[in-house]
């Protein structure tokens, strides 16, 4: 029934397949019976496998059950969710926070409640798909500005109808490019034009800023961005997401956000694991230091080998290839050399910007990275990239 559509995808080298991992939480995992170095995880601080995080999940499961049983408005709100939300609000320096079952749900459930008919949304061209879907679900008009192009954004703001409510939407740290949104400029424009700024800091949370509070902290803008979304499935090593902001906003979301109201609450274990992860990441800042040292080692090594890297400033290091077929072939050569890093193709990224997306974590040893660089060199030569 879908054969025609699937062969169309195959003809364009856009078929996606799952790569089964037999065991391991990284950095070494078993794929097809071989030990492979994983350079693809967003578990940036290695917290998914941390004993204290795992123990908290086990205890919450024993105490409250494997699942939450219902939406929190239906069957009551459990202690792990409450504890997580107050810890997150404190961490982000906001009055309150609300957790969602995933980042995707947080974005599609928040944006339409923030702005509706008569409003205008201006979003960065490289925003995450969940932000785009959230914008589409809102009844507001929706325009795209060129990636990180502050003057393009300003011209759109200047052209809009007087007094029109406006929401500016951006990733903090871009998931497929590894660069940062120019938050100081965006924040200033938002003030000048009386617009609101919404940032999705899925990748920045735990990674950016002196305390890992995210991209806003990195720019010294801690308390100046009203709507901050982050996820718990990346540096937090668990799953779920949060929206941190003023308490009136949080109360409003509890009343109106469809992806909060009409879905089962995250399992108590995920919430407890996220709270434990937050505790560990604050207590062990050396994890972030190791992450950044690994990032420098890998980034400078890849640059030395002559790869075409995107202008990344983060642990997300995309190696630009161009067409989808070449990106796939590079990823296959890498896997043959013992390294797993995925080819990222349209529609995740724009046409002819296919890439292999490499991520490092705090758990890689310097020797892992040195071995990986040898694999990158061989695979890069075989794929004709260097
Ligand atoms: C991963 C990601 C999401 C989705 O978060 P999940 O919790 O995985 O659903 C949203 N926005 C960005 C920028 C992401 O990278």
């Amino acid at each position: 029934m879908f054969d025609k559509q699937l062969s169309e995808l195959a003809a364009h080298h856009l078929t996606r397949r799952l790569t089964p991992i037999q065991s391991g939480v990284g950095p070494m995992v078993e794929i097809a019976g071989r030990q492979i170095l994983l350079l693809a995880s967003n578990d940036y601080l290695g917290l998914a496998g941390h004993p204290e995080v795992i123990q908290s999940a086990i205890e919450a499961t024993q105490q409250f059950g494997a699942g939450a049983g219902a939406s929190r408005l239906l069957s009551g709100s459990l202690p792990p969710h409450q504890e997580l939300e107050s810890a997150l609000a404190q961490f982000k320096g906001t009055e309150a926070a609300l957790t969602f079952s995933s980042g995707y749900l947080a974005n599609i459930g928040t944006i339409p409640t923030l702005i509706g008919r008569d409003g205008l949304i201006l979003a960065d061209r490289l925003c995450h798909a969940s932000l785009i879907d959230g914008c589409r679900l809102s009844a507001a008009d929706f325009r795209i500005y060129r990636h990180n192009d502050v003057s393009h954004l300003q011209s759109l703001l200047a052209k809009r109808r007087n007094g029109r409510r406006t929401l500016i939407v951006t990733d903090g740290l871009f998931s497929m490019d590894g660069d940062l949104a120019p938050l100081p400029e965006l924040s200033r424009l938002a003030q000048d034009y009386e617009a609101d700024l919404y940032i999705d800091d899925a990748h920045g949370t735990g990674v950016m800023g002196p305390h890992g509070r995210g991209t806003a902290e990195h720019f010294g803008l801690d308390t100046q961005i009203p709507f901050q979304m982050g996820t718990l499935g990346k540096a937090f090593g668990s799953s779920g997401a949060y929206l941190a902001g003023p308490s009136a906003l949080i109360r409003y979301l509890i009343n109106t956000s469809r992806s909060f109201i009409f879905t089962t609450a995250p399992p108590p274990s995920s919430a407890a694991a996220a709270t434990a992860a937050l505790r560990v990441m604050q207590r062990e800042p050396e994890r972030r230091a190791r992450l950044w040292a690994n990032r420098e080692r890998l980034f400078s090594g890849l640059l030395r080998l002559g790869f075409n890297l995107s202008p990344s400033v983060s642990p997300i290091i995309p190696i630009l290839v161009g067409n989808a077929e070449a990106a796939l072939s590079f990823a296959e050569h890498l896997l043959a050399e013992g390294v797993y890093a995925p080819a990222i193709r349209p529609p995740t990224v724009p046409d002819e910007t296919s890439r292999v997306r490499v991520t490092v974590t705090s758990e890689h040893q310097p020797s892992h990275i040195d071995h990986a660089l040898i694999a990158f060199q061989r695979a890069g030569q075989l794929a004709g990239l260097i």
Side-chain angles (χ1 to χ4, degrees):
M1 184 173 169
F2 295 103
D3 290 345
K4 188 161 165 286
Q5 289 91 331
L6 285 168
S7 41
E8 182 91 345
L9 282 175
H12 293 93
H13 307 281
L14 295 177
T15 307
R16 297 174 186 225
R17 278 195 195 83
L18 296 169
T19 303
I21 288 185
Q22 276 117 11
S23 64
V25 287
M28 297 306 297
V29 294
E30 191 184 330
I31 296 178
R34 295 165 62 222
Q35 284 296 307
I36 300 290
L37 180 68
L38 189 66
L39 281 172
S41 175
N42 299 323
D43 178 22
Y44 295 112
L45 302 174
L47 294 174
H50 194 286
E52 188 174 325
V53 174
I54 291 175
Q55 188 58 30
S56 295
I58 292 171
E59 283 168 17
T61 301
Q62 285 166 338
Q63 213 174 340
F64 302 106
S71 160
R72 287 162 70 192
L73 284 166
L74 265 188
S75 74
S77 185
L78 297 170
H81 299 113
Q82 310 280 99
E83 284 159 21
L84 173 60
E85 286 169 350
S86 44
L88 285 169
Q90 198 177 25
F91 176 62
K92 293 298 292 181
T94 56
E95 284 176 2
L98 185 68
T99 52
F100 290 80
S101 300
S102 76
Y104 189 93
L105 291 172
N107 282 333
I108 66 167
T110 302
I111 294 172
T113 67
L114 293 177
I115 189 156
R117 210 176 307 286
D118 298 333
L120 172 67
I121 299 176
L122 300 173
D124 188 287
R125 172 159 180 262
L126 297 186
C127 271
H128 191 262
S130 57
L131 288 171
I132 302 292
D133 291 358
C135 295
R136 285 183 181 144
L137 278 175
S138 158
D141 276 346
F142 169 35
R143 305 261 156 72
I144 296 284
Y145 61 89
R146 288 189 292 272
H147 178 52
N148 280 350
D149 187 336
V150 177
S151 40
H152 188 205
L153 173 60
Q154 180 164 22
S155 74
L156 294 173
L157 285 164
K159 269 200 295 229
R160 95 204 137 140
R161 212 175 52 237
N162 246 352
R164 190 170 196 196
R165 261 219 73 209
T166 306
L167 186 69
I168 301 169
V169 173
T170 184
D171 287 23
L173 165 50
F174 285 87
S175 56
M176 294 299 142
D177 291 74
D179 58 347
L180 300 176
L183 291 187
E185 288 86 348
L186 296 183
S187 173
R188 198 166 323 119
L189 272 188
Q191 268 166 18
D192 290 353
Y193 288 88
E194 293 182 1
D196 289 317
L197 180 56
Y198 181 98
I199 65 166
D200 170 340
D201 218 13
H203 292 273
T205 312
V207 170
M208 300 304 301
H211 302 92
R213 295 204 175 96
T215 310
E217 188 195 27
H218 168 83
F219 285 114
L221 293 170
D222 257 9
T223 54
Q224 292 159 47
I225 297 175
F227 310 132
Q228 297 197 53
M229 173 272 186
T231 57
L232 305 170
K234 288 166 183 161
F236 276 70
S238 176
S239 84
Y242 65 85
L243 202 290
S247 57
L249 164 71
I250 300 304
R251 287 199 307 276
Y252 184 62
L253 286 175
I254 291 173
N255 281 275
T256 53
S257 174
R258 296 171 66 84
S259 67
F260 175 80
I261 299 172
F262 298 107
T263 197
T264 302
S269 54
S270 310
T275 307
L278 180 55
R279 199 164 57 230
V280 175
M281 84 170 60
Q282 288 175 300
R283 193 181 65 217
E284 299 179 0
E286 61 273 18
R287 288 179 176 274
R288 216 164 27 256
R290 285 206 305 274
L291 168 68
W292 282 97
N294 286 341
R295 186 266 169 203
E296 290 312 318
R297 194 177 187 95
L298 184 58
F299 188 82
S300 58
L302 290 171
L303 216 50
R304 247 193 334 268
L305 288 174
F307 283 107
N308 181 14
L309 303 181
S310 88
S312 159
V313 293
S314 73
I316 300 169
I317 307 175
I319 301 177
L320 298 174
V321 175
N323 75 56
E325 187 180 10
L328 265 188
S329 143
F330 182 36
E332 279 160 17
H333 285 303
L334 274 174
L335 192 56
E337 297 290 337
V339 166
Y340 181 73
I344 308 288
R345 295 161 290 160
T348 307
V349 293
D351 281 342
E352 292 308 312
T353 70
S354 289
R355 62 202 66 189
V356 163
R357 176 183 182 269
V358 183
T359 55
V360 281
T361 76
S362 59
E363 302 314 284
H364 291 107
Q365 302 295 322
S367 61
H368 285 137
I369 293 175
D370 296 344
H371 279 125
L373 286 168
I374 296 171
F376 277 109
Q377 183 168 25
R378 289 207 191 110
Q381 284 165 350
L382 287 170
L385 295 176
I386 52 172

